[in-house]
Amino acid sequence: MRLKSLELSGFKSFAKKTSLEFQSSITSVVGPNGSGKSNVVEAIRFVLGEQSIKSMRGKSGVDLIFKGSKNLSKASRASVTIYFDNSDHIFHLENEGGEKVNLNYDTITISREVFTDGLNKYSLNGTEVRLKDIQALLTSVHIGSSGHHIISQGEADRILNANNRERREMIEDALGLKIYQYKIKESERKLERTTNNMKDVSLLRKEIAPHLNFLRKQVEKLEKAKEQKIELLGLYKEYLQRESVYLEKEKNVLSSERNKISKELEDISSKINDGAQNETKENSKNEDIRNFERKINDIRRVKDELSRKLGRVEGIIEMEEERKNKGDEPTSDAVFISAEKAQTFIHEMDECVSSALSKNDILEIRLVLERIRLIVQDFIPKNKNTQPERPINSIEDLEKTKDEILEQVHKIEDEERSFINEANNLRREIEQESLAGREQEKEKFALVVKRQEFNSDLNMISLREENLARTQTSFEDEIREGSIFLGADILSYKNFEINGEESRENQEERRKKIERIKIKLEDAGLGGGAELQKEFEEVRDRDAFLTKEMIDLETSIQSLRKLMLDLKEKIDLEFKEGVRKINKEFQEFFSLMFGGGSAFLSVVAEQKRKRKGGEEDLEGEDDIEEDGIVFEHGIEISVSLPHKKVKELHALSGGERSLTSIALLFAMSQVNPPPFLVLDETDAALDESNSRKYGDMLEKLSHHSQLIVVTHNRETMSRAGVLYGVTVGSDGGSKLLSVKFEEAAQIAK
Ligand code: ATP
């Protein structure tokens, strides 16, 4: 027995925990109307994952929970558990990854609970699972979701009422093809995922392609740059080593030349300096001569003054002597002075004082003072009153004055002479010295010329030194620049061995070559080559990975398509074969029921309805596409009752409909027997003779599938091995008891 037992608790009218054991191939549930028999059938639907609450006569999940009665309080949840025998390990389940879940149980227990908030909970052998898992598990034992194996009350003719497409589904289900349909659905989902993945991967590849190309070009450049660097290092080594040797040598040459010339220049300079000292002496003598000449001039001015004064004194003496000779009395002391004379006096005095103030030499100042005295002497005696000017001194006084003047004249004339002599002596000395100087001059000129030469030689050396300093700087710059491209390797030039001397032009050529390579390297702009290489490898590997992934995805798309095609072919084949087998059985059951006639199923193609947005309804798998119109396969039932012309299904009587349905249902169950069949008052419309035929068929069927029949029919009850009576207890809840046939017939009334 596949179905072992069923447990209900809080489900609909079953308030308390109630258990049904299915030890017989036919178990019958009997009881009065409204006792809860159909609730037992619905409990089976419920626990197998039924999603239509309506098919369990409820509006929401809460309606499935015991609502309470006079004596019993309402339940907080409805719970149903079903037990299957699995000693042959027929139940299978796969996880998301397509791997088999370990179901090493001899009994498979499926539980479903619904809570007052409408929440459902499914368990498999005590472990909470998803509805999906329950459905997959049941599919593995041909208990499909179409529920064709559970015929509820009033649904005896369900398969007749169903449309072609629903019928096809029921038949697919009965034939155990649903499992393939699930696989196709799964493959479609995988295909969609894979196609999306492929799009993503292709997008990623497209995204990285320009970067990869860029990096590839850079790396190629890098390779080329590596060769160029090797060439550059070779050139640099020789160039720098030759340059360094050249610089060293030139520095030494210039330094010794400079030392030599500097020394010579020093000698010449000291000789030229000696000559310059003589010149200074001559200059100071000339200055002395000019001083003497200035003094002589001053003396001569004083001398002129003295001689004018002497003239005046002699004139006065002469005049006095004449007056004396004429016998004239001397006049009073008072003398008259003209305004003009007074003016002249003031002016002369002023001039003398200014002159004295400007002198430093006491001798010259004395001369000025002398003059002042003369001017004053000349002026005072005549300044007595406003009377006309006339001599006031005696001739003796005048003579005395005259002598004094003469004495002064003689005195300054002595001075004059002495100055003239001194000046002349100096001139002579200068004359003699200049004779000797001319010789020296010649020598000095030669020295100056020589010095000029040495100086220009030194200038030349300075220029060469400057050039060399520039060469040194560019040598250092070159090392610095080279190190940017070659790093510390640049310094390896120090170990380079020079092979023979060569011209500077060769170095220049070498430098130009270096420059050209540097420009190329700079143009390539490949700083951080190692990182670039690493990045290139990473991006290249990523691209290779993505390419492989594309191939893998393409392969899996191909294999998914192939699988789907194979599955469709398989379904198609098995479906057609199944329908053929069902038809054979159907015909047999039908003629058994009606005592003749014919009944068969035919596969028809129907135009498929369109979904919103023009998308096709791809529910059907055996679809045919023709000129944009999609067709789907359905199942049509054709019947022909014996002795009657009626062929239309809807024209059959209730009993005829039931019988036809049962015949078909039984035919389906014969071809691919489900583990159990639940029939809720399917026999309600049968008369006595048909009830017997029905009972015979039940027995035939029970060889392959367990049967649970809810019935009021005595005939049907008589075929059952186990009978359960359902009654409403005094507490208001449904009660279940195992009964004997006679009791059952009694209870059922
Ligand atoms: P019949 O022979 O007339 O078909 P039945 O034995 O099949 O009757 P059911 O239809 O199984 O009877 O039971 C219906 C009974 O279950 C009704 O009396 C109904 O009140 C009761 N019932 C349904 N849902 C609940 C619920 N949630 N709580 C309590 N009782 C419920």
Side-chain angles (χ1 to χ4, degrees):
M1 292 308 128
R2 184 62 60 202
L3 186 61
K4 286 171 85 176
S5 59
L6 183 77
E7 250 172 44
L8 304 84
S9 175
F11 185 85
K12 287 202 151 184
S13 56
F14 290 88
K16 291 181 181 159
K17 191 170 173 181
T18 312
S19 188
L20 283 96
E21 304 286 330
F22 304 103
Q23 293 138 340
S24 168
S25 57
I26 302 176
T27 304
S28 188
V29 180
V30 301
N33 292 137
S35 59
K37 301 184 296 293
S38 294
N39 291 344
V40 173
V41 175
E42 277 155 16
I44 298 175
R45 269 187 193 282
F46 172 75
V47 75
L48 297 181
E50 179 60 64
Q51 291 303 293
S52 160
I53 302 287
K54 202 176 144 204
S55 77
M56 295 179 281
R57 294 175 298 164
K59 275 183 190 149
S60 70
V62 187
D63 294 336
L64 305 179
I65 303 169
F66 179 66
K67 288 190 157 62
S69 67
K70 228 185 196 176
N71 301 320
L72 289 171
S73 55
K74 62 175 182 179
S76 60
R77 54 163 199 158
S79 154
V80 180
T81 305
I82 195 164
Y83 296 83
F84 291 103
D85 181 81
N86 189 37
S87 46
D88 53 358
H89 294 123
I90 192 174
F91 282 88
H92 294 299
L93 182 62
E94 288 179 356
N95 65 14
E96 295 278 291
E99 294 160 348
K100 274 195 173 169
V101 173
N102 183 17
L103 286 176
N104 208 8
Y105 305 105
D106 285 342
T107 303
I108 290 289
T109 313
I110 298 170
S111 299
R112 179 178 177 184
E113 290 164 279
V114 63
F115 297 87
T116 43
D117 57 3
L119 208 81
N120 281 272
K121 193 173 144 186
Y122 301 87
S123 312
L124 171 59
N125 284 56
T127 306
E128 193 176 337
V129 290
R130 298 163 302 177
L131 168 65
K132 220 176 126 179
D133 300 317
I134 302 290
Q135 287 171 337
L137 180 79
L138 293 171
T139 309
S140 72
V141 290
H142 309 306
I143 306 174
S145 56
S146 71
H148 71 279
H149 53 286
I150 303 174
I151 307 298
S152 291
Q153 197 177 14
E155 278 194 338
D157 55 356
R158 189 172 141 211
I159 197 156
L160 298 194
N161 291 335
N163 65 30
N164 290 354
R165 182 189 160 136
E166 286 163 351
R167 266 183 224 135
R168 191 195 77 191
E169 273 178 32
M170 285 183 199
I171 285 167
E172 274 180 355
D173 212 356
L175 291 171
L177 299 179
K178 270 286 169 204
I179 188 101
Y180 303 129
Q181 297 287 20
Y182 282 133
K183 280 187 178 165
I184 288 176
K185 281 263 171 319
E186 193 60 36
S187 301
E188 268 175 1
R189 275 195 291 275
K190 274 189 191 163
L191 189 68
E192 198 185 328
R193 273 204 304 272
T194 314
T195 312
N196 286 341
N197 274 352
M198 211 158 142
K199 274 184 201 157
D200 291 349
V201 172
S202 155
L203 209 73
L204 274 176
R205 276 200 70 204
K206 266 189 200 141
E207 266 171 26
I208 64 169
H211 190 45
L212 181 65
N213 276 343
F214 168 77
L215 287 172
R216 183 175 287 119
K217 277 186 195 140
Q218 291 298 97
V219 167
E220 277 166 15
K221 276 189 191 173
L222 201 72
E223 289 300 320
K224 212 171 168 200
K226 266 188 200 161
E227 288 165 24
Q228 285 170 336
K229 277 184 185 174
I230 292 167
E231 194 189 348
L232 184 69
L233 182 62
L235 284 166
Y236 254 137
K237 276 183 184 174
E238 184 162 7
Y239 174 77
L240 291 173
Q241 183 66 315
R242 281 189 184 279
E243 208 64 0
S244 123
V245 169
Y246 166 79
L247 282 165
E248 199 54 39
K249 196 174 132 200
E250 277 299 289
K251 262 183 232 166
N252 289 338
V253 167
L254 286 174
S255 146
S256 72
E257 277 184 26
R258 175 178 278 286
N259 285 344
K260 194 174 150 223
I261 294 170
S262 297
K263 177 120 196 14
E264 305 231 28
L265 204 59
E266 240 174 60
D267 292 349
I268 288 176
S269 293
S270 69
K271 281 182 192 159
I272 291 172
N273 273 349
D274 292 350
Q277 271 170 11
N278 292 343
E279 224 170 66
T280 320
K281 270 187 213 162
E282 185 190 311
N283 284 344
S284 86
K285 279 176 185 165
N286 278 330
E287 187 58 37
D288 287 349
I289 292 170
R290 275 193 291 281
N291 277 339
F292 282 128
E293 281 170 347
R294 266 198 300 277
K295 283 175 190 169
I296 292 163
N297 278 341
D298 288 343
I299 287 169
R300 284 182 181 156
R301 238 189 340 270
V302 174
K303 222 168 88 184
D304 285 351
E305 197 62 44
L306 285 172
S307 71
R308 263 204 313 282
K309 198 175 164 190
L310 189 67
R312 233 182 352 262
V313 171
E314 282 172 349
I316 296 169
I317 292 171
E318 218 173 285
M319 208 168 67
E320 285 300 317
E321 277 173 353
E322 267 177 35
R323 201 169 47 227
K324 205 171 157 184
N325 292 341
K326 281 179 190 168
D328 288 349
E329 280 299 309
T331 58
S332 76
D333 285 349
V335 282
F336 288 100
I337 294 168
S338 66
E340 191 197 342
K341 193 157 186 178
Q343 201 65 46
T344 306
F345 173 76
I346 291 163
H347 178 72
E348 280 181 331
M349 283 307 283
D350 191 43
E351 205 178 53
C352 287
V353 170
S354 296
S355 165
L357 284 172
S358 69
K359 309 281 184 195
N360 287 323
D361 193 334
I362 191 70
L363 200 70
E364 286 177 48
I365 296 169
R366 263 183 62 202
L367 288 170
V368 178
L369 288 173
E370 209 62 60
R371 198 176 148 217
I372 291 172
R373 190 161 71 182
L374 286 172
I375 294 166
V376 173
Q377 281 174 353
D378 194 24
F379 182 72
I380 289 171
K382 301 161 191 172
N383 200 18
K384 285 267 179 107
N385 50 38
T386 53
Q387 283 179 359
E389 189 181 322
R390 56 194 174 111
I392 53 167
N393 290 335
S394 63
I395 288 170
E396 290 79 39
D397 286 342
L398 287 166
E399 282 299 339
K400 199 177 163 195
T401 304
K402 183 184 165 190
D403 289 345
E404 277 172 8
I405 290 170
L406 281 172
E407 195 185 329
Q408 277 174 20
V409 168
H410 289 143
K411 199 177 165 194
I412 63 170
E413 272 176 352
D414 285 349
E415 276 179 10
E416 185 185 11
R417 262 190 305 281
S418 120
F419 287 151
I420 287 168
N421 279 342
E422 284 204 44
N424 285 342
N425 286 344
L426 283 172
R427 278 193 194 95
R428 266 191 302 282
E429 273 175 37
I430 288 171
E431 184 65 22
Q432 277 159 10
E433 279 168 9
S434 84
L435 270 174
R438 266 197 283 280
E439 268 315 298
Q440 268 178 347
E441 200 65 23
K442 267 188 205 161
E443 277 171 38
K444 188 184 152 191
F445 184 70
L447 285 173
V448 167
V449 169
K450 197 76 191 158
R451 185 173 67 180
Q452 210 84 47
E453 279 171 14
F454 283 138
N455 272 332
S456 78
D457 284 353
L458 271 186
N459 282 343
M460 278 310 289
I461 287 172
S462 292
L463 277 177
R464 281 166 65 195
E465 279 171 344
E466 276 169 27
N467 277 340
L468 198 66
R470 271 199 292 278
T471 313
Q472 174 74 33
T473 308
S474 54
F475 169 73
E476 285 158 10
D477 287 349
E478 209 58 73
I479 291 177
R480 213 171 13 256
E481 278 180 28
S483 73
I484 294 169
F485 297 98
L486 303 170
D489 283 355
I490 192 81
L491 298 174
S492 64
Y493 78 87
K494 290 176 181 169
N495 306 323
F496 184 81
E497 277 186 31
I498 291 175
N499 206 357
E501 290 224 357
E502 59 170 37
S503 67
R504 291 290 290 159
E505 281 81 53
N506 282 1
Q507 272 294 78
E508 191 49 33
E509 273 309 305
R510 212 166 269 127
R511 205 186 60 75
K512 279 181 188 162
K513 271 190 200 164
I514 286 172
E515 215 48 48
R516 278 198 289 275
I517 297 176
K518 277 198 312 201
I519 287 167
K520 278 185 202 160
L521 285 173
E522 259 170 26
D523 195 39
L526 300 162
E531 287 117 74
L532 194 79
Q533 182 73 31
K534 193 165 160 258
E535 196 186 347
F536 167 68
E537 278 164 18
E538 278 170 9
V539 177
R540 187 196 54 195
D541 290 352
R542 174 127 182 81
D543 185 62
F545 171 77
L546 291 174
T547 311
K548 192 180 167 292
E549 200 159 79
M550 286 281 279
I551 294 167
D552 290 351
L553 288 169
E554 183 59 46
T555 313
S556 63
I557 284 175
Q558 293 305 335
S559 63
L560 279 171
R561 287 206 173 119
K562 169 103 178 42
L563 176 71
M564 281 161 70
L565 214 69
D566 288 352
L567 285 169
K568 279 180 186 173
E569 269 174 25
K570 196 176 173 72
I571 290 173
D572 197 39
L573 215 73
E574 289 193 12
F575 183 71
K576 280 176 186 156
E577 180 60 17
V579 169
R580 199 186 59 77
K581 282 182 185 167
I582 291 169
N583 270 339
K584 192 169 167 279
E585 296 288 330
F586 187 26
Q587 177 59 42
E588 267 181 37
F589 278 114
F590 187 81
S591 55
L592 192 78
M593 289 275 191
F594 291 98
S598 72
F600 62 92
L601 306 176
S602 45
V603 181
V604 288
E606 288 181 347
Q607 197 171 329
K608 199 172 175 178
R609 68 173 185 273
K610 297 261 178 179
R611 274 184 183 171
K612 266 188 213 163
E615 241 182 80
E616 312 302 345
D617 179 357
L618 292 173
E619 279 290 313
E621 308 305 335
D622 295 333
D623 301 331
I624 318 154
E625 201 169 329
E626 231 173 61
D627 295 335
I629 304 163
V630 179
F631 291 92
E632 64 177 7
H633 285 142
I635 292 287
E636 226 169 55
I637 304 173
S638 308
V639 289
S640 173
L641 295 174
H643 321 298
K644 288 190 180 175
K645 283 189 175 170
V646 182
K647 283 200 166 62
E648 289 79 28
L649 283 179
H650 63 265
L652 297 175
S653 79
E656 285 166 347
R657 286 180 73 83
S658 285
L659 282 176
T660 308
S661 287
I662 292 162
L664 177 53
L665 200 66
F666 286 3
M668 280 156 63
S669 303
Q670 275 298 94
V671 173
N672 195 9
F676 62 89
L677 265 171
V678 182
L679 305 164
D680 188 356
E681 295 188 42
T682 327
D683 53 7
L686 304 184
D687 59 22
E688 217 179 304
S689 86
N690 280 335
S691 293
R692 256 195 316 277
K693 286 178 194 165
Y694 177 77
D696 292 343
M697 283 195 293
L698 285 184
E699 274 183 31
K700 196 181 168 195
L701 267 178
S702 70
H703 296 144
H704 306 290
S705 305
Q706 256 175 293
L707 302 176
I708 294 116
V709 286
V710 175
T711 187
H712 287 288
N713 192 307
R714 227 179 121 81
E715 182 59 42
T716 309
M717 283 183 223
S718 71
R719 312 284 175 136
V722 170
L723 285 152
Y724 281 106
V726 184
T727 52
V728 180
S730 55
D731 55 9
S734 292
K735 254 194 191 151
L736 194 79
L737 40 132
S738 188
V739 290
K740 300 245 162 30
F741 172 66
E742 283 312 317
E743 289 172 301
Q746 201 59 37
I747 288 171
K749 280 180 185 167

